[in-house]
Amino acid sequence: MALEDMRKPIESGCPDGFQYMHPLMRKNFGLWDWHDHPRPGVLRHVAKNGDSLWTVKAGTQRILDVFSLRKLCDIGDRFADGHVRFTIRSNIEYMVADEAKVEPLIKALEDAGFVVGGTANSVAMISHTQGWLHCDIPGTDASGVVKAMMDELIDEFKNCNMPNRVHITTSCCQINCGGQGDIAINVQHTKPPKINHDLVSNVCERPSVVARCPVAAIRPAMVNGKPSLEVDEKKCICCGACYPPCPPMQINDPEHTKLAVWVGGNHSNARSKPSFQKLVAAGIPNNPPRWPEATAIVKKILRAYREDAKDWERINDWIDRIGWPRFFELTGLPFTKYHVDNWYGARNSLNASTHIRF
Ligand code: SF4
Ligand code: SF4
């Protein structure tokens, strides 16, 4: 077949981002000189040729209805030459080439009910996973936790009162996406799964469920004459990993599925190595629709951090400096032996290979 007769490949995946960029960003790609932070929620970037671009950031609820999206896009048409972008923390950003449009844009956003902020040393919008809306294994509605918590942290989002930026995350199961940040609110199961033996043989591929368990607590078994599974409850660490491949191993439960708060997770950066987050509060009631207990704990941690940390210290830097005993003293959280795990001995106790150990 001649080359010109061949069908063109169908490309899938991310489209080229350049086509969506604000023209001034395209023009100055790789040529920016410096940037500053004129007010909370606004960044200014200046290119080597003197071009300036203002970025105005506003929080959204992430799971957006079409009416809010239209409202946000109309604002983009009026003030930002029809260009918007979303950040991974569900913020919308408008790029503005004319300084005179910055304040009217902020006013238009606030009049429409959106909150401008989330830049520099503020509490950024909480990044979260999907919860009930999209996933098949959540133990809580992460989006709901975010809404309830951000309602109470709105002043910290709008202002820059923190020693450095604070990234909060939530996740709605204990094992998969999300859940790594300066403060992370994660689901915590506290009971082994309850097995519906009538369904296991119809729904689950038993060998793959057995292989899923990180502590080899699941064994094949015959129950009521049907092939099923059994769990050694002494070994089970209630992680919930068996539930996605085998929904009859029900682990979510309104009473025993709890929330836990972890702190100090951070990616590596120019100054420090990556740090693991550590558990500081467990067994918090999973209490919709406002999750007041979890919110109160997050506020306590933020208050202690704001009052005690030095400028530029992230939460993990602050705790490294003051030590864990002082962290628990300042936040007033109870400390137990389960809380701060330094992973000492983890090479022997965690599965680090595909081999099952008994
Ligand atoms: S955190 Fe778990 S339940 Fe939530 S969206 Fe991710 S995989 Fe699904
Ligand atoms: S909850 Fe986790 S530890 Fe318990 S049986 Fe299931 S996979 Fe194994």
Side-chain angles (χ1 to χ4, degrees):
M1 191 186 284
L3 198 59
E4 56 272 19
D5 296 334
M6 286 175 72
R7 178 176 64 77
K8 285 226 168 76
I10 298 167
E11 295 292 349
S12 53
C14 267
D16 177 11
F18 274 82
Q19 61 186 310
Y20 304 121
M21 274 188 194
H22 189 281
L24 212 60
M25 289 174 79
R26 261 202 315 262
K27 178 179 160 202
N28 291 298
F29 184 76
L31 300 170
W32 296 103
D33 197 17
W34 56 273
H35 69 274
D36 67 353
H37 181 236
R39 55 153 282 176
V42 179
L43 297 169
R44 172 175 50 173
H45 286 82
V46 179
K48 290 192 197 316
N49 64 6
D51 285 348
S52 293
L53 190 71
W54 283 263
T55 304
V56 177
K57 183 180 282 203
T60 76
Q61 65 268 41
R62 175 169 185 183
I63 295 167
L64 280 165
D65 58 285
V66 73
F67 302 102
S68 309
L69 264 175
R70 284 197 180 128
K71 214 186 276 178
L72 288 166
C73 290
D74 284 347
I75 294 173
D77 283 339
R78 278 167 54 208
F79 298 99
D81 307 316
H83 291 267
V84 299
R85 71 174 177 203
F86 282 93
T87 70
I88 53 166
R89 292 189 169 265
S90 322
N91 297 295
I92 189 165
E93 287 185 345
Y94 296 91
M95 269 59 66
V96 183
D98 175 5
E99 188 177 6
K101 285 186 180 170
V102 172
E103 285 305 323
L105 166 58
I106 294 172
K107 184 166 183 318
L109 282 165
E110 288 178 345
D111 289 350
F114 297 99
V115 190
V116 173
T119 48
N121 52 326
S122 62
V123 173
M125 178 68 185
I126 302 177
S127 80
H128 68 100
T129 53
Q130 301 286 357
W132 305 134
L133 191 71
H134 149 99
C135 191
D136 56 351
I137 56 166
T140 190
D141 182 23
S143 322
V145 178
V146 171
K147 166 74 178 125
M149 222 167 254
M150 284 313 281
D151 278 353
E152 301 219 14
L153 299 178
I154 186 168
D155 287 337
E156 303 303 346
F157 178 82
K158 281 163 74 171
N159 297 298
C160 294
N161 295 330
M162 292 288 152
N164 200 338
R165 68 179 59 124
V166 179
H167 286 168
I168 306 181
T169 63
T170 70
S171 75
C172 35
C173 71
Q174 199 171 271
I175 50 166
N176 286 345
C177 39
Q180 169 77 354
D182 292 303
I183 302 176
I185 303 111
N186 295 342
V187 160
Q188 177 193 34
H189 298 298
T190 58
K191 281 260 189 163
K194 221 159 91 188
I195 306 177
N196 182 339
H197 294 288
D198 291 335
L199 292 179
V200 170
S201 59
N202 299 340
V203 178
C204 314
E205 218 177 88
R206 293 187 307 155
S208 55
V209 185
V210 171
R212 268 289 183 113
C213 181
V215 292
I218 308 175
R219 286 187 293 260
M222 292 295 285
V223 181
N224 303 329
K226 283 187 175 175
S228 186
L229 297 162
E230 65 183 11
V231 171
D232 180 344
E233 297 197 352
K234 281 208 205 91
K235 278 187 179 174
C236 174
I237 54 169
C238 312
C239 68
C242 49
Y243 177 55
C246 188
M249 298 189 72
Q250 184 68 47
I251 194 160
N252 293 335
D253 161 326
E255 193 188 335
H256 298 105
T257 296
K258 307 277 190 189
L259 297 182
V261 173
W262 303 66
V263 301
N266 205 353
H267 294 298
S268 59
N269 57 33
R271 275 158 233 93
S272 58
K273 291 181 188 168
S275 64
F276 264 143
Q277 56 186 11
K278 307 259 171 36
L279 179 73
V280 294
I284 307 162
N286 179 16
N287 193 2
R290 303 298 300 178
W291 290 271
E293 299 85 356
T295 305
I297 290 172
V298 169
K299 284 169 87 173
K300 266 186 200 173
I301 297 170
L302 285 174
R303 195 178 315 123
Y305 168 61
R306 190 180 60 214
E307 284 165 10
D308 194 60
K310 295 182 179 164
D311 285 352
W312 301 107
E313 274 179 336
R314 293 284 288 264
I315 287 189
N316 61 317
D317 303 324
W318 167 58
I319 298 168
D320 274 354
R321 178 171 60 79
I322 63 172
W324 286 103
R326 184 84 180 125
F327 169 86
F328 282 97
E329 228 173 82
L330 288 174
T331 53
L333 297 172
F335 178 70
T336 75
K337 66 176 180 176
Y338 300 109
H339 278 154
V340 180
D341 188 347
N342 62 6
W343 306 99
Y344 186 79
R347 186 158 288 277
N348 295 321
S349 61
L350 296 180
N351 256 358
S353 74
T354 50
H355 297 97
I356 292 179
R357 286 193 295 274
F358 294 93

